[in-house]
């Protein structure tokens, strides 16, 4: 190139500008600065543009680092010479400098940071037109491998932040996407750079960064999961600052735009991330109130699994999640008066039915509590969704935890007591919600209600789900032999408390008759044992023992048809209801039965019960009065069935204690005598059932022998 090619620069100026010595470049820069001032005073814009083009294009195109450094020095000097006039040429000045920030030579990159610093310091607000270009360059420089370059970039970054936060011309809508984009990179330096910018912008309240928080929140939570502890700390501090400002002035916060972001991150497996997100959810639930209801399904999906944490490090997460769960429960209750229109019930039910399969007892219990809460507060709406809920809740009956089974039974009781969808029904839908039914109230008072048993059963008879539930329960018991042994009594007792003793006994006995003989016999044994021993069954025991109304007699017939599968259970029922003559008839048929060890064990248990307080009235009836002779005959028949075991000697001693001539006045005949019961037909049914039992056992043995 000739000197003319660099005009308006002289050849000497160009050589000085491109010298490797900084002092010579500096001297040439001063010369350019004076030249530009003269052009500016003369309003010679053509020469200024020509000069910028020579520096920014001609010299900058060189591959020699010294030449590039000279061009950078020259552009910086032009800005100084122009002063405020540099605003007119800000694009022509900054773009070639920014391009040099990506050069491979560290000296050039460092010189570019100096040059850009000088240009921006002079241009100030005008430089914001080039903000995206400058910001992108700064983000790249934050990860520069050269310490000196990073140091220069830090000074430049502070200057740009000062300009941005002090200028009323800054448009956050253009800045926020740039910051957010860097949060999703894998570069730790870029993430740290982005968080630092968020902090700087937030430190200037006049900018109103909080209005843009929905656009930044997901990125911040993403950075919170960074492996670098320092970056996590920075992000945590900034998130806490945002939350503090939200709590201080929630009226300006767009909760709806952020809550789904929190729900997503509250399901993270990373401890800090999950704790922070669930803490935000807690504050949002408190601050926005019913505004959370449309997102209730997501909140539950995030919060309820956290209740499973038992380790100390996650204790805070569990406690915060429990608070969120309680807050949401209260919000649903408060919204009941408004019909809970904002609650997306289908989505909530979907989440709850999925969580019924969670591995944690605490989560399943909370889930079942939620379902029960919804049935209590929104019975009509939930009745339309019962089909979706029913199968999952029934499946919980096989759970190993008593609390889960107890809650599942409470839900099922509520389902059965709710009116059918679209109807009113007789059942009120509030029994299980209160924790006890009419029968449970009777347990408390120690006496049966006059009409409660029959009414409860009639209500449940009208329920589309009661018999469906009983059949599902029996299928579970049939499929898992150990379930009946381990949990059968527990389930029956809980049901008695929840829906009433007669309803349970009528329903289970009726459903059991249609089952295979072995299951029916085992169920009869369980029902009989509970009837004679469980405190919850005390009112029903008294009712059957009194045997003084049509309802009690009707129940006796129902139980008889089921308990015909278990001879000893049936005998105990007849003893309880003072049907002693029929007891003797039954015992006379026992000789035709297959007397097994299990059968004798059941007889032994019955003798033990006869010696217990439950049958104290029966032992007194041996003293004389109506039915005493039949009772003696029945007990002597039972004695003859027993081998000479401890039970045999116990019963024999008891019978020998009774006088042959009564010493007390004869009592009135038991009221049972007033009821017309066709005992011959019942006895015939007993024999038929026992024949079926015998055939079933023979079939089982043949099948067992045929197996390899």
């Amino acid at each position: 190139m000739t000197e003319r090619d660099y005009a308006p620069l002289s050849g000497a100026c160009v050589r000085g500008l491109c010298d490797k010595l900084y002092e010579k470049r500096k001297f040439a820069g001063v010369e350019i600065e004076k030249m530009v001032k003269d052009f500016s005073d003369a309003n010679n814009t053509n020469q200024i543009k020509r000069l910028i083009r020579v520096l920014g294009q001609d010299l900058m195109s060189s591959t020699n680092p010294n030449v590039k450094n000279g061009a950078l020095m020259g552009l910086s000097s032009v800005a100084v010479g122009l002063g405020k006039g540099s605003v007119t040429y800000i694009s022509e000045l900054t773009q070639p400098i920014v391009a040099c920030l990506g050069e491979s030579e560290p000296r050039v990159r460092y010189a570019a940071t100096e040059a850009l610093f000088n240009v921006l310091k002079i241009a100030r607000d005008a430089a914001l037109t080039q903000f995206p270009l400058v910001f992108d360059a700064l983000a790249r420089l934050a990860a520069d491998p050269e310490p000196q370059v990073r140091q220069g970039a830090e000074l430049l970054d502070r200057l740009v932040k000062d300009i941005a936060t002090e200028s009323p011309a800054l448009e956050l809508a253009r800045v926020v996407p740039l910051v957010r984009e860097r949060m999703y990179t894998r570069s730790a330096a870029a993430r740290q750079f982005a968080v630092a910018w968020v902090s700087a912008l937030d430190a200037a309240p006049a900018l109103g960064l909080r209005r843009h928080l929905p656009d930044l929140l997901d990125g911040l939570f993403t950075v919170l999961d960074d492996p670098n502890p320092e970056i996590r700390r920075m992000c945590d501090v900034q998130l806490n600052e945002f939350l503090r400002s939200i709590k201080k002035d929630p009226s300006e916060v767009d909760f709806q735009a952020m809550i789904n972001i929190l729900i997503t991150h509250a399901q993270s497996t990373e401890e800090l991330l999950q704790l922070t997100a669930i803490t935000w959810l807690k504050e949002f639930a408190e601050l926005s109130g019913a505004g959370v209801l449309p997102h209730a399904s997501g909140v539950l999906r995030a919060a309820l699994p956290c209740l499973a944490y038992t380790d100390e490090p996650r204790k805070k997460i569990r406690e915060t999640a429990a608070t969120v769960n309680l807050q949401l429960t209260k919000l649903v209750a408060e919204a009941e008066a408004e019909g809970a229109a904002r609650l997306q019930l289908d989505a909530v039910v979907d989440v709850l039915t999925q969580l019924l399969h969670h591995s944690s007892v605490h989560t399943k219990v909370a889930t079942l509590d939620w379902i029960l809460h919804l049935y209590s507060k929104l019975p009509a709406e939930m009745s339309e969704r019962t089909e979706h809920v029913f199968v999952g809740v029934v499946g919980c009956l096989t759970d190993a935890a008593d609390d889960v089974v107890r809650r599942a039974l409470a839900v099922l009781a509520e389902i059965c007591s709710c009116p059918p969808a679209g109807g009113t029904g007789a059942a009120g839908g509030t029994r299980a919600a209160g924790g006890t039914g009419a029968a449970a109230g009777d347990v408390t008072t120690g006496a049966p209600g006059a009409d409660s048993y029959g009414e409860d059963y009639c209500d449940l008879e009208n329920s589309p789900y009661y018999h469906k539930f009983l059949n599902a329960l029996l299928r579970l018991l049939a499929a898992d032999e150990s379930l009946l042994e381990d949990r059968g009594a527990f389930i029956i007792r809980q049901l008695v408390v929840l829906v009433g003793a007669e309803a349970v006994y009528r329903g289970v006995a009726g459903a059991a008759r249609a089952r295979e003989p072995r299951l029916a016999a085992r169920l009869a044994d369980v029902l009989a044992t509970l009837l004679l021993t469980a405190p919850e069954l005390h009112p029903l025991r008294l009712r059957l023992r009194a045997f003084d109304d049509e309802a009690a007699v009707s129940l006796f017939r129902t139980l008889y048809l089921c308990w015909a599968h278990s001879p000893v259970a049936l005998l105990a029922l007849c003893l309880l209801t003072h049907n002693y003559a029929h007891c003797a008839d039954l015992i006379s048929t026992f000789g035709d039965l297959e007397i097994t060890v299990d059968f004798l064990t059941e007889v032994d248990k019955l003798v033990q019960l006869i010696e217990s307080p439950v049958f104290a009235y029966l032992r007194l009836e041996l003293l004389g009065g109506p039915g005493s002779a039949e009772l003696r005959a029945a007990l002597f028949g039972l004695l003859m069935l027993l081998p000479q075991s401890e039970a045999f000697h116990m019963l024999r001693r008891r019978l020998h204690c009774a006088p042959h001539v009564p010493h007390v006045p004869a009592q009135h005949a038991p009221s049972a005598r007033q009821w017309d019961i066709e005992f011959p037909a019942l006895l015939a049914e007993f024999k038929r059932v026992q024949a079926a039992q015998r055939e079933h056992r023979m079939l089982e043995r043949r099948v067992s022998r045929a197996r390899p």
Side-chain angles (χ1 to χ4, degrees):
M1 279 188 178
T2 62
E3 286 190 9
R4 191 172 178 180
D5 294 325
Y6 299 103
L9 293 178
S10 65
C13 182
V14 171
R15 287 191 295 274
L17 195 63
C18 299
D19 197 276
K20 64 179 181 180
L21 294 177
Y22 176 79
E23 290 301 325
K24 290 186 177 181
R25 294 201 301 275
K26 182 66 175 176
F27 184 80
V30 172
E31 183 179 338
I32 292 172
E33 183 181 334
K34 292 178 180 178
M35 184 188 305
V36 169
K37 286 181 179 179
D38 292 340
F39 290 154
S40 179
D41 291 342
N43 199 25
N44 192 344
T45 58
N46 289 332
Q47 286 292 75
I48 295 174
K49 291 179 179 179
R50 168 65 181 164
L51 176 58
I52 293 175
R53 187 164 57 251
V54 168
L55 294 168
Q57 297 179 19
D58 297 343
L59 293 179
M60 202 67 79
S61 64
S62 173
T63 58
N64 188 326
N66 292 330
V67 175
K68 286 185 179 294
N69 285 344
L72 290 166
M73 176 69 76
L75 289 172
S76 178
S77 298
V78 170
V80 173
L82 288 172
K84 293 183 179 180
S86 62
V87 171
T88 306
Y89 308 96
I90 189 65
S91 175
E92 292 89 340
L93 290 171
T94 56
Q95 289 182 12
I97 298 175
V98 170
C100 285
L101 292 173
E103 287 287 330
S104 59
E105 175 58 49
R107 289 179 300 162
V108 176
R109 297 199 301 276
Y110 179 75
T113 62
E114 285 190 322
L116 190 58
F117 182 93
N118 291 330
V119 171
L120 297 183
K121 186 176 181 180
I122 294 168
R124 301 298 292 185
D125 289 3
L128 294 178
T129 59
Q130 305 299 306
F131 185 85
L133 187 69
V134 174
F135 186 87
D136 181 70
L138 288 172
R140 285 185 279 109
L141 288 173
D144 198 283
E146 194 65 34
Q148 188 179 23
V149 176
R150 290 200 305 274
Q151 185 179 10
E154 288 171 4
L155 293 173
L156 177 60
D157 183 56
R158 284 200 290 271
L159 173 64
V160 176
K161 285 174 182 172
D162 289 343
I163 295 172
T165 55
E166 294 171 5
S167 173
L170 181 69
E171 298 179 16
L172 279 183
R174 297 179 62 195
V175 177
V176 168
L178 299 173
V179 177
R180 183 181 62 228
E181 181 183 351
R182 270 71 191 178
M183 293 180 183
Y184 294 105
T185 66
R186 294 190 176 184
S187 167
R191 287 180 165 188
Q192 189 171 16
F193 170 80
V195 175
W197 261 92
V198 171
S199 299
L201 294 172
D202 186 49
L207 293 177
L209 181 66
R210 195 170 56 184
R211 292 193 299 272
H212 299 270
L213 185 55
D215 297 321
L216 294 170
L217 192 63
D218 183 65
L220 287 168
F221 272 97
T222 301
V223 175
L224 194 61
D225 195 23
D226 194 274
N228 187 309
E230 178 57 27
I231 295 176
R232 289 201 304 272
R233 187 199 64 78
M234 283 180 59
C235 192
D236 187 37
V237 169
Q238 184 55 45
L239 282 168
N240 287 333
E241 183 60 28
F242 275 133
L243 188 58
R244 185 195 63 77
S245 62
I246 288 172
K247 291 164 65 177
K248 185 177 180 181
D249 186 9
S251 60
E252 298 181 5
V253 180
D254 188 353
F255 293 104
Q256 300 298 317
M258 292 186 281
I259 193 166
N260 281 330
I261 297 171
L262 300 176
I263 289 169
T264 298
H265 291 290
Q267 298 173 67
S268 170
T269 56
E270 204 285 320
E271 185 178 331
L272 177 60
L273 186 58
Q274 189 175 34
L275 175 59
T276 305
I278 206 76
T279 301
W280 277 61
L281 279 177
K282 177 177 74 70
E283 298 298 340
F284 275 31
E286 182 176 336
L287 296 171
S288 66
V292 173
L293 288 179
H295 306 276
S297 60
V299 175
L300 290 173
R301 188 189 298 277
L304 295 189
C306 295
L307 303 179
Y309 296 143
T310 57
D311 56 316
E312 189 62 29
R314 293 183 184 264
K315 178 181 177 182
K316 183 64 174 177
I317 298 176
R318 182 182 71 247
E319 292 174 346
T320 307
T323 302
V324 171
N325 184 42
L326 181 61
Q327 289 172 321
L328 200 56
T329 303
K330 292 179 179 178
L331 288 173
V332 170
E334 292 168 0
E336 179 192 3
E338 305 172 7
R342 303 182 69 182
L343 186 68
Q344 304 297 319
L345 194 55
D346 284 332
V348 170
V349 169
D350 281 342
V351 169
L352 293 174
T353 52
Q354 292 169 24
L355 289 174
L356 288 176
H357 303 287
H358 199 275
S359 59
S360 164
V361 170
H362 299 292
T363 297
K364 282 185 282 194
V365 167
T367 301
L368 289 164
D369 282 343
W370 255 103
I371 296 174
L372 189 60
H373 182 63
L374 292 174
Y375 271 104
S376 172
K377 299 301 179 184
L378 306 168
E381 294 87 342
M382 284 299 294
S383 65
E384 299 173 359
R385 296 161 175 85
T386 294
E387 196 66 33
H388 190 38
V389 173
F390 183 78
V391 175
V393 178
V394 168
C396 290
L397 297 179
T398 62
D399 199 272
D402 285 354
D403 282 346
V404 174
V405 176
R406 189 179 293 112
R407 295 304 203 291
L409 289 169
V411 173
L412 290 166
E414 186 69 21
I415 287 173
C416 294
S417 64
C418 275
T424 55
T430 58
R431 179 185 295 118
T436 58
D442 295 337
V443 171
T444 303
T445 60
D451 301 308
S452 61
Y453 294 110
E455 290 178 358
D456 280 350
Y457 185 62
C458 289
D459 287 348
L460 291 171
E461 275 286 280
N462 296 326
S463 167
Y465 278 96
Y466 183 57
H467 293 290
K468 185 176 181 179
F469 156 56
L470 291 178
N471 286 321
L473 174 60
L474 294 187
R475 281 195 298 272
L476 290 176
L477 297 176
D480 185 357
E481 193 167 307
S482 63
L483 183 62
L484 178 57
E485 299 296 333
D486 298 339
R487 311 303 294 279
F490 174 77
I491 291 173
I492 297 298
R493 292 176 70 174
Q494 291 299 312
L495 281 175
V496 165
V497 171
L498 290 165
V499 301
E502 183 174 349
V504 173
Y505 268 65
R506 281 187 181 273
V508 175
R513 289 177 59 198
R515 296 288 160 179
E516 57 94 12
R518 187 160 179 253
L519 176 62
R522 293 170 64 205
L523 274 170
D525 289 336
V526 171
L527 290 171
T529 301
L530 289 175
L531 178 61
L532 296 174
T533 60
E536 297 88 347
L537 274 298
H538 178 68
L540 188 59
R541 271 199 302 278
L542 294 179
R543 190 174 182 81
L544 284 168
R545 179 178 146 190
F547 214 60
D548 57 359
D549 59 53
E550 182 59 43
V553 175
S554 172
L555 178 59
F556 170 78
R557 291 191 183 101
T558 300
L559 297 180
Y560 191 107
L561 295 176
C562 174
W563 293 3
H565 288 276
S566 176
V568 180
L570 185 58
L571 178 60
L573 176 65
C574 293
L575 288 172
L576 178 66
T577 53
H578 303 277
N579 291 302
Y580 301 138
H582 189 63
C583 289
D585 292 339
L586 276 175
I587 293 172
S588 68
T589 69
F590 285 4
D592 298 328
L593 303 179
E594 183 180 2
I595 306 298
T596 63
V597 173
D598 289 340
F599 177 86
L600 292 175
T601 301
E602 292 302 316
V603 175
D604 188 285
K605 290 179 181 177
L606 178 57
V607 172
Q608 300 287 341
L609 279 172
I610 290 173
E611 291 297 314
S612 71
V614 171
F615 280 114
Y617 73 92
L618 181 146
R619 298 195 298 273
L620 290 172
E621 289 180 359
L622 287 171
L623 297 175
S628 178
E630 292 92 339
L631 176 58
R632 284 170 176 270
L635 294 182
F636 270 110
L638 194 61
L639 185 67
M640 293 303 104
L641 281 174
L642 286 167
Q644 294 192 26
S645 61
E646 178 59 31
F648 171 87
H649 294 294
M650 184 185 301
L651 183 55
R652 186 187 65 171
R653 288 192 296 269
R654 174 62 64 185
L655 289 170
H656 285 175
C657 288
H660 294 289
V661 179
H663 294 286
V664 295
Q667 299 177 355
H668 293 293
S671 56
R673 304 284 195 266
Q674 303 170 12
W675 303 101
D676 184 18
I677 302 176
E678 297 182 357
F679 282 111
L682 291 177
L683 187 61
E685 175 65 12
F686 169 72
K687 292 177 180 179
R688 186 197 67 78
V689 169
Q690 286 303 306
Q693 283 278 357
R694 183 165 53 252
E695 291 178 7
H696 182 75
R697 286 194 296 270
M698 292 175 63
L699 178 61
E700 281 188 329
R701 288 166 186 161
R702 286 197 297 269
V703 171
S704 178
R705 292 192 191 103
R707 288 174 183 162

